[in-house]
Amino acid sequence: MKPKKIKEPLKKNINDPQLKNKLINSKSFLELFNNVQEAMIIHNLHGKILAVNKQFLSMFKTDEERAFTLSIKDDLSSSTNSLDLLDGIWADVIIGNPKTFEWTAKRPEDGFIFPVEVFLTKLSFSKKDVILASIKDITHYKSIQKEVEEKAIEVENFFNLSPDLFCITDKNGVFVKNNIQWKVVLGYEQKDLKNMHLWDFAYEKNIPVIKEKINEALASDKVIIFETNYRCKDQSLKYLEFRSTRYNSTIFTVALDITERKESERIIMDSKQRLEMVLYGSEMAIWDWDIPSGKIIVNERWHKIVGIEEHKQAKSTITEWEKSIHFDDLKSFNERLNSHVQGQSDFFECEYRVLNSSGKWTWIQSKGKIVERDLLEKPMRMCGTHINITKRKELEEKMFKMAHYDKLTGLPNRELFFERFSQSIVQHRRDKKIFALFFIDLDNFKYYNDSYGHEAGDRILVITAQRLLSSVRKSDIVARMGGDEFTIILRNISSIESASNVAAKIIDIFSKPFYIGDIESTIGISLGISIFPKDGENSEELIRKADTAMYSVKKTGKRGYRFYEENK
């Protein structure tokens, strides 16, 4: 049976002033219509615009008078779109089938084009059928993903522990390494990906986009974010969000399965002249704050995120919300919230930790906006969303540790040491304070490593780290520079004598024996010291002079410490 043909579904010159006036004069409709975060349009069945909300005017940079003259086909769509496809979608919606699709929108004033997601559905308003369009700008602005060093064993373990899809591709986009989630989520075995490109499993129309994004990642140090359809091994469809970044000549990619979020639709229903939207997205909760009373209403998604029973919803207040926030995050939360409430920012956005029902901290990203003010412009109501970002935060923390901490000893590595070294120089110069730099090298470490094996050598390095940490304050910095070399920054010392006392303490601690298996042994250290600002005001000079002092100890018998002395 052929589908019923709809004649001229998007004809521009058909108007319905009576229905248009009813829409515009409906107070309850306008309140909800203008307070949703997406751009909204009401059309008659022929595509004539009857009403638009404030978000539409902002998104398309036009005014209300001009908006009513616009055509979705001629004025709001890029020439790259298939208008025949739009006609087909429109006809399908008219016979009662809601549709969600992606489209390239165009601003009529300046021709600027941008990608949007459009949801179309037919509604009955005042006994007349209309088409409601919800438009969401899907251009993404997300924070840059930190670069992860390629360490074979760590990456392998890290890959397979992650719930997301991870892979490394070469500069040509060919798979080099992938984690088990490619099988769990998409069904592909390791052999299926061998010699294949990252884009070989995408739909043909998306291949140029993926290639472009991979080349963009290769050409910069930024994290490139994009979304695309992906074919599973069983030919079913998944929607993935990719985050790709360059590491040397390879590309490190994290892919998140966002199929559920993409497939979830915003469904709008007409009930007592109110439209209720259901936000798609499996991890998003909605909140509504009545500012004068302090009461907050949240949906059931929030209860699942923090494990609170739903019947406690009525008791939720802004005070209870603040009480659940981690102390270290509360100041930032209040500053950002007050900034928006007082009109100093357009939106409220904050990432912070809340205590869940199991006594653990859950990372939340909250966004919101004032949606109602009184006649004196005093804020009355604020609405927004919560998203559980705990997995993302844990991932970021793991990435940071892999890149900045020594796996064996747990100490800051060379990169993190120099970052904190530079910070210390700036801080002590500003506060006009002094600090000491210790450069430490183990005596005869190669002998122990060669005689007793690498496991014994590793144990000596771990014991060294523990003894150095026990010798200094928590505010001081102990780092492993590589091999058997360590550094210490004694921050904010009162005198050079203080540095001497700590150095003597360290030498004494290393005179105590330790055990390699059943064998009792000792290992000495040679320790060189430079003082800021006496011996230098930059990291290179201080390191060089501490290293010189250390080698002076080596030459005179080892197992001791020495301050840097000019011409000695």
Side-chain angles (χ1 to χ4, degrees), residues 399-464:
M399 289 178 178
F400 182 84
K401 286 183 177 179
M402 287 177 63
H404 294 92
Y405 284 86
D406 176 52
K407 181 185 176 184
L408 178 64
T409 63
L411 295 177
N413 63 13
R414 186 182 188 89
E415 180 181 352
L416 184 56
F417 165 76
F418 277 108
E419 180 181 327
R420 293 184 175 175
F421 194 12
S422 298
Q423 293 170 355
S424 295
I425 291 174
V426 172
Q427 179 186 343
H428 286 76
R429 181 183 293 122
R430 181 194 62 206
D431 297 339
K432 297 181 179 179
K433 301 287 187 179
I434 66 173
F435 70 83
L437 172 66
F438 288 7
F439 201 99
I440 300 166
D441 187 85
L442 300 182
D443 296 333
N444 302 319
F445 175 73
K446 186 176 185 302
Y447 165 77
Y448 287 97
N449 206 41
D450 294 343
S451 299
Y452 298 104
H454 291 297
E455 287 188 9
D458 287 348
R459 173 161 173 75
I460 291 173
L461 293 173
V462 171
I463 292 173
T464 298

Side-chain angles (χ1 to χ4, degrees), residues 287 296 317-325 333 352 366 386:
W287 53 271
I296 297 178
T317 65
I318 187 66
T319 301
E320 291 181 0
W321 187 2
E322 291 174 340
K323 286 181 179 178
S324 69
I325 297 174
F333 173 86
Y352 57 95
S366 292
H386 296 308

Side-chain angles (χ1 to χ4, degrees), residues 72 99-103 116-120 133-136:
I72 190 171
K99 293 291 181 181
T100 299
F101 59 96
E102 292 187 3
W103 199 249
V116 296
E117 180 182 80
V118 182
F119 171 68
L120 292 178
S134 171
I135 304 174
K136 178 182 177 183

Side-chain angles (χ1 to χ4, degrees), residues 240-256:
L240 303 181
E241 180 185 88
F242 289 87
R243 301 182 184 187
S244 296
T245 186
R246 175 174 61 85
Y247 180 73
N248 294 332
S249 61
T250 60
I251 296 293
F252 183 85
T253 297
V254 183
L256 289 77

